[in-house]
Amino acid sequence: MQNIHTYHIHLTGIVQGVGMRPFVVQLALHFKLNGWINNTTDGVHIEFNGTEYQANQFLNRIISAPPPFALIRKYTLFKTDNKLFDSFEIIESDVNSIPDLLLTPDFGLCFECRTELHSVSNRRFHYPFITCTNCGPRFSITKKLPYDRLNTSMKNFSICDTCSHEYSTVSDRRFYSQTNSCHKCSISMKLFENGKETETLNPEMILEIIQQFLKEGKIVSVKGVGGYVLLCDATNSSSIQLLRKRKQRQAKPFALLFHSVEQMKTFVEWSESEKKCLQSSVAPILLLKSKKNSELAIDDIAPGLSHLGCMLPNSPLLELIAESFNKPLICTSANISESPILFRDIDALTHLHHIADIILSHNREIVAAQDDSVIKFARYSNQKIIIRRARGLAPNFLGYIQNQDKSILATGALMKSSFTFQTRQKTFVSQYLGSTGTIEAQEMYRNSLKNLTDLLQFKPEKIVSDNHPDYFSTQLAKEISTIHAIPFNQVQHHKAHFAAVLAEHSLLDSHESILGVIWDGTGIGDDAQIWGSEFFKFENNSMLRCYHFDYFPQVLYDKMSREPRLSAMAICDDVLGSDTLLKEKFTDVEWSYYKKLLGTGTKINCCSLGRVFDAVASLLGLSDKQSYEGEAAMLLQDLAEKYTDEYGYDIGESYFMEGAHYYRISTSSLFSSIIRDIHKNKTNSFIAAKFHFSLVHLVEIIAGNIGVKKVAFSGGVFQNSLLVDMLQQLLQKKLELFFHDQLPPNDENISFGQMVYVDRQIDSSLIIDLNDVRNHVTIEQPENQLLITEKDKF
């Protein structure tokens, strides 16, 4: 018979608050083992008596079939000093050391809790805050680590005898559930109308009043998991228009809340992957293609677009509201457009009574504000594209191996901001923090940064930012660097994009050269011009900018990004046949002024592919002035899909061709060809599709020119699922393609890329030798080709 020893297991990973302790206790009872388990600031520790065989069996069961959502990244098993235990129990958590663990994101309502919520015989029937070990708030309510009730917003809620019995019963699903509560020991709700609290009402009455307001076409605000949301009837055009007016959101699409997938399938199409994603613990907003003849007020919900943002209830409170209303609801963040989501009760009550007719709040504090995550899938390749990474996904990032033994803080960009920590071989990428162009958004950024640094007791030894001097994130990085005397680094915007996608796919040590296609809206380049159509080559830990579209004038700075007509005018300034298409988009005074401005030249030039998309959209009559970021590009994609849905992705002709002796990608020649197609009366949908196809063809040409087989993509342009699908279908047999999986392709990945760039000490100081360029790229433009000078080549 084998000897009994005392063994110790240490687990690290996403194990806090996802049922690891109750799971291990139940497993220990199964194996008839005595000992203990506890949460600590460096993971989970287990100590027990057993034979070597039992110890290995116990460990194998833990790591091979952990509880739902638990992910064990590392584990150790070793003998320790002999002790004798007479039972197996959960002991008090250790809180005295520096946290060295990953954090648990918030989980959407699980199937078991949803079933109980609607079961009349269950004691939690219609309880708006039902949770268990497999669902409910985690990151949004955590104040300290490890994750225990006393360290969360649940600290001040007393637990009733029945819930206490569940909490201490090993066989119960709520064994050691830190958020456990019920009608008896309830989180309490309150209603506010016209800025004042209504008379005290019970939960059923409160929910009935909410239903009445929604049925009357009024706007309701509800405190959700990560902040307040606004709800209204999605079939009521007047109600949606009123919401747009009050929220100051002219045309940006609204998300839709459905009570079930059965209800949702009446209005949208989905694949099995999309359905699985909708029902996952992330409970995201998913962009799905709308069906025709819908009773939804589609023109008010998503003007001009064929996709709708759809979600299922991520909390029991929203579940009860959506199920009782039994029609689709608009569900959008409670804020004024361009401001961050409101999450503090005092701020909501101060600002929301101007937008919402009634406000439903509760007394569980939100610590970490988060919007809903937004995801889409490319229709045919099934490539997942994260548009916004927030509730359910943030703040952990898995898979990156730290190179330097230094803690790094990277502060990100301006739009779609985030920050990244790298410390103790763990990476944290914050939730989406929006545009930091407003004071309110900057305060949200600072608060989120402080919350996470305090939670993890993080002290950076290096700080890195974008190289744009006017970004809030750059200024904050300099401020922190100065105050704490920490080394400060800056990384060019598009190189950070490239580093992010390389790191995400573990390509930084690749022995093969990799082409980086980095296309987005704006980012200041090494030459102080605006980049955004970059082709980089990565090899031997160095990045080299090889190609980009020709520069064109940046007109009136940010005004150009808001008005696609200005992009079209700037790019087409010397393009024959453009004036007849563009002049009608301006008043006589505007036309004269802008032409004069272009004639005298501008200090800043641009090669942004985002502005190229804008210009094409303007020429095709889709958008001259955008009411929200990316509107023109989204409309252009929708138009192209009208053609590709009928004729497929292989358009058969491209605006780009190989073989001409040019060292550049001529932007004006591209538009000459597009304008020629317009004058030939080619359909707008064909031109839009041909433009997308041509970009795919261009990637193939340049990959061949540079001599690479691996291509990685990043930048906001690759939120375009049609472009991603075309790349996959047309090039995947010729090239190995890499897209973001864990991070959005947009500027949310910049902070992670900045951290990687500095951690890996990537070099981008090389200068390209023109003699090394074997082939060239030009545009389908046989007439009036312009020779280029030496300075224009790159």
Side-chain angles (χ1 to χ4, degrees):
M1 182 174 179
Q2 294 187 48
N3 293 327
I4 301 293
H5 297 284
T6 301
Y7 289 90
H8 193 103
I9 295 174
H10 180 202
L11 307 173
T12 60
I14 308 177
V15 293
Q16 305 299 324
V18 286
M20 183 59 73
R21 286 176 291 180
F23 164 75
V24 169
V25 172
Q26 292 165 355
L27 197 59
L29 293 178
H30 172 76
F31 280 103
K32 297 182 171 58
L33 300 175
N34 293 333
W36 55 259
I37 178 173
N38 77 336
N39 264 356
T40 73
T41 50
D42 68 345
V44 166
H45 289 265
I46 307 164
E47 205 157 281
F48 60 96
N49 301 136
T51 65
E52 182 179 350
Y53 176 77
Q54 287 175 317
N56 282 304
Q57 264 201 323
F58 188 41
L59 175 63
N60 287 338
R61 283 289 296 273
I62 291 171
I63 62 176
S64 64
F69 317 129
L71 175 61
I72 301 167
R73 298 179 71 208
K74 185 178 179 182
Y75 56 87
T76 55
L77 169 67
F78 56 89
K79 288 181 183 178
T80 188
D81 295 338
N82 279 327
K83 307 176 189 70
L84 187 63
F85 305 110
D86 56 11
S87 65
F88 200 97
E89 60 183 352
I90 298 173
I91 65 173
E92 186 176 344
S93 298
D94 172 22
V95 297
N96 296 319
S97 57
I98 295 175
D100 186 19
L101 43 75
L102 293 169
L103 300 173
T104 304
D106 298 314
F107 296 124
L109 187 64
C110 72
F111 174 79
E112 290 81 4
C113 282
R114 179 173 277 110
T115 301
E116 291 177 348
L117 184 67
H118 297 297
S119 175
V120 177
S121 61
N122 190 277
R123 75 185 193 89
R124 289 189 175 83
F125 173 65
H126 279 190
Y127 177 53
F129 303 97
I130 186 172
T131 66
C132 69
T133 53
N134 295 328
C135 69
R138 298 293 190 271
F139 177 54
S140 63
I141 63 170
T142 302
K143 294 184 173 183
K144 289 176 61 179
L145 293 172
Y147 176 78
D148 285 318
R149 192 178 180 106
L150 290 176
N151 294 333
T152 73
S153 299
M154 295 296 295
K155 175 182 179 180
N156 297 326
F157 294 95
S158 299
I159 190 169
C160 72
D161 290 344
T162 310
C163 285
S164 181
H165 178 72
E166 290 174 334
Y167 183 85
S168 58
T169 302
V170 174
S171 59
D172 198 283
R173 196 172 90 254
R174 293 184 174 87
F175 176 51
Y176 241 70
S177 172
Q178 304 303 314
T179 54
N180 203 21
S181 65
C182 70
H183 288 292
K184 284 185 179 179
C185 51
S186 175
I187 296 164
S188 60
M189 299 189 296
K190 292 182 179 180
L191 279 179
F192 296 85
E193 192 173 359
N194 298 320
K196 296 181 180 179
E197 185 179 348
T198 63
E199 62 180 298
T200 302
L201 301 167
N202 65 46
E204 289 292 337
M205 292 174 65
I206 286 174
L207 291 174
E208 286 176 10
I209 291 171
I210 293 298
Q211 291 300 315
Q212 187 60 39
F213 269 69
L214 290 171
K215 289 173 183 176
E216 292 174 359
K218 294 181 179 179
I219 297 164
V220 172
S221 180
V222 176
K223 186 177 182 180
V225 174
Y228 283 79
V229 296
L230 296 166
L231 306 175
C232 74
D233 184 352
T235 66
N236 187 329
S237 179
S238 298
S239 183
I240 300 170
Q241 289 174 19
L242 179 61
L243 177 59
R244 286 202 178 278
K245 181 179 178 181
R246 291 181 180 178
K247 191 174 161 70
Q248 299 174 26
R249 184 165 171 161
Q250 183 181 341
K252 190 175 182 179
F254 284 130
L256 293 169
L257 175 66
F258 297 89
H259 72 72
S260 64
V261 290
E262 288 74 22
Q263 182 190 55
M264 192 185 295
K265 70 182 180 182
T266 304
F267 303 97
V268 293
E269 302 170 1
W270 65 54
S271 65
E272 282 304 310
S273 295
E274 288 168 331
K275 182 180 177 182
K276 184 178 179 180
C277 184
L278 276 168
Q279 296 177 310
S280 71
S281 64
V282 176
I285 296 171
L286 199 60
L287 296 179
L288 299 170
K289 191 169 182 63
S290 62
K291 290 183 177 178
K292 295 179 180 179
N293 304 318
S294 170
E295 66 182 85
L296 294 170
I298 296 229
D299 290 340
D300 300 302
I301 296 167
L305 299 175
S306 62
H307 286 73
L308 299 172
C310 301
M311 62 187 295
L312 295 173
N314 55 60
S315 72
L317 180 54
L318 284 181
E319 169 81 12
L320 290 173
I321 293 171
E323 193 270 342
S324 182
F325 190 64
N326 201 30
K327 287 196 295 183
L329 287 163
I330 298 293
C331 184
T332 184
S333 299
N335 57 359
I336 299 295
S337 287
E338 305 307 323
S339 296
I341 188 171
L342 294 170
F343 71 103
R344 295 191 184 96
D345 297 335
I346 188 171
D347 292 334
L349 298 179
T350 300
H351 300 292
L352 285 183
H353 69 273
H354 299 295
I355 305 176
D357 296 298
I358 197 163
I359 300 170
L360 173 54
S361 186
H362 59 75
N363 61 340
R364 184 180 66 204
E365 179 189 0
I366 297 172
V367 178
Q370 299 174 91
D371 288 276
D372 295 308
S373 292
V374 180
I375 298 172
K376 71 189 301 187
F377 285 81
R379 194 189 308 179
Y380 296 108
S381 65
N382 211 36
Q383 173 70 45
K384 182 174 74 173
I385 305 169
I386 301 174
I387 305 298
R388 186 167 73 197
R389 183 180 178 272
R391 182 192 48 74
L393 294 174
N396 302 311
F397 181 89
L398 304 176
Y400 179 71
I401 299 174
Q402 187 174 350
N403 187 52
Q404 300 180 48
D405 188 22
K406 295 283 185 181
S407 293
I408 301 173
L409 167 62
T411 59
L414 176 70
M415 304 290 289
K416 297 179 173 61
S417 62
S418 70
F419 56 82
T420 292
F421 293 161
Q422 172 71 58
T423 183
R424 296 183 288 277
Q425 285 297 333
K426 293 176 179 62
T427 303
F428 302 91
V429 182
S430 77
Q431 69 273 35
Y432 161 86
L433 295 170
S435 170
T436 51
T438 66
I439 297 297
E440 296 86 356
Q442 292 169 14
E443 181 186 2
M444 172 75 82
Y445 186 109
R446 286 182 182 272
N447 288 339
S448 299
L449 180 59
K450 184 179 186 305
N451 175 56
L452 207 51
T453 52
D454 289 350
L455 200 60
L456 296 165
Q457 298 179 40
F458 172 78
K459 293 182 179 179
E461 297 168 278
K462 287 186 177 183
I463 295 202
V464 55
S465 78
D466 194 270
N467 61 0
H468 197 301
D470 297 331
Y471 284 180
F472 164 75
S473 56
T474 303
Q475 295 167 355
L476 179 62
K478 289 180 179 178
E479 175 189 316
I480 296 171
S481 171
T482 301
I483 292 172
H484 299 286
I486 302 169
F488 172 64
N489 303 266
Q490 291 181 287
V491 175
Q492 197 278 325
H493 188 94
H494 302 94
K495 295 172 186 176
H497 268 304
F498 192 17
V501 69
L502 288 170
E504 203 173 327
H505 289 282
S506 303
L507 293 170
L508 292 160
D509 296 315
S510 173
H511 297 296
E512 296 180 60
S513 299
I514 302 164
L515 174 64
V517 182
I518 314 300
W519 292 346
D520 68 358
T522 60
I524 192 167
D526 293 338
D527 56 2
Q529 305 303 305
I530 303 300
W531 290 7
S533 57
E534 313 313 306
F535 292 87
F536 292 107
K537 184 179 182 180
F538 180 80
E539 61 183 357
N540 300 322
N541 206 44
S542 294
M543 286 183 186
L544 174 66
R545 187 189 189 209
C546 298
Y547 288 90
H548 60 84
F549 278 66
D550 274 353
Y551 286 119
F552 46 88
Q554 174 81 11
V555 179
L556 298 176
Y557 302 100
D558 289 343
K559 185 177 177 67
M560 187 167 172
S561 63
R562 296 192 298 270
E563 298 190 16
R565 62 179 187 159
L566 292 178
S567 294
M569 177 185 246
I571 293 172
C572 298
D573 188 37
D574 293 322
V575 175
L576 292 175
S578 63
D579 283 4
T580 57
L581 299 174
L582 292 173
K583 192 170 183 179
E584 62 184 18
K585 301 176 183 293
F586 301 86
T587 66
D588 291 342
V589 173
E590 286 175 330
W591 183 261
S592 176
Y593 172 72
Y594 292 139
K595 278 293 187 180
K596 183 177 179 182
L597 188 65
L598 290 169
T600 57
T602 58
K603 293 181 180 179
I604 302 294
N605 291 305
C606 176
C607 66
S608 159
L609 202 66
R611 301 293 78 80
V612 170
F613 267 83
D614 288 350
V616 177
S618 178
L619 285 170
L620 297 182
L622 300 174
S623 175
D624 290 326
K625 294 183 179 180
Q626 299 192 97
S627 63
Y628 59 91
E629 185 205 5
E631 180 180 17
M634 290 167 68
L635 292 170
L636 185 62
Q637 177 186 338
D638 248 37
L639 179 63
E641 285 176 343
K642 287 180 172 62
Y643 184 89
T644 58
D645 283 351
E646 185 172 356
Y647 299 105
Y649 290 157
D650 193 347
I651 307 302
E653 55 182 273
S654 169
Y655 290 123
F656 298 98
M657 58 187 291
E658 303 172 61
H661 298 289
Y662 283 78
Y663 293 100
R664 77 194 220 203
I665 307 167
S666 172
T667 311
S668 60
S669 294
L670 167 64
F671 278 82
S672 293
S673 300
I674 291 172
I675 288 170
R676 193 163 60 249
D677 273 353
I678 293 173
H679 287 309
K680 288 179 179 178
N681 294 319
K682 299 287 182 71
T683 66
N684 283 355
S685 61
F686 168 78
I687 295 170
K690 182 178 175 181
F691 170 68
H692 281 76
F693 175 81
S694 300
L695 294 176
V696 175
H697 184 217
L698 179 63
V699 170
E700 182 181 4
I701 292 171
I702 290 181
N705 287 358
I706 295 173
V708 299
K709 290 296 182 182
K710 294 179 183 287
V711 186
F713 303 87
S714 188
V717 167
F718 295 105
Q719 295 174 129
N720 183 322
S721 56
L722 173 62
L723 184 60
V724 170
D725 255 345
M726 280 184 155
L727 286 161
Q728 294 272 28
Q729 182 158 320
L730 300 174
L731 299 186
Q732 64 181 350
K733 293 182 180 178
K734 305 172 184 177
L735 301 167
E736 193 174 357
L737 310 178
F738 300 91
F739 298 89
H740 287 284
D741 289 323
Q742 288 194 60
L743 297 172
N746 60 46
D747 282 5
E748 277 189 69
N749 73 54
I750 288 289
S751 64
F752 175 68
Q754 290 168 342
M755 180 277 295
V756 169
Y757 194 96
V758 169
D759 182 50
R760 299 290 300 214
Q761 297 178 303
I762 294 172
D763 179 24
S764 58
S765 60
L766 293 176
I767 304 298
I768 193 165
D769 182 353
L770 296 181
N771 294 322
D772 289 340
V773 179
R774 301 190 310 267
N775 299 307
H776 319 291
V777 180
T778 188
I779 312 299
E780 179 205 299
Q781 174 70 3
E783 311 102 307
N784 303 317
Q785 290 276 20
L786 299 175
L787 292 175
I788 59 174
T789 61
E790 193 72 17
K791 67 177 182 179
D792 291 324
K793 291 181 179 178
F794 288 94

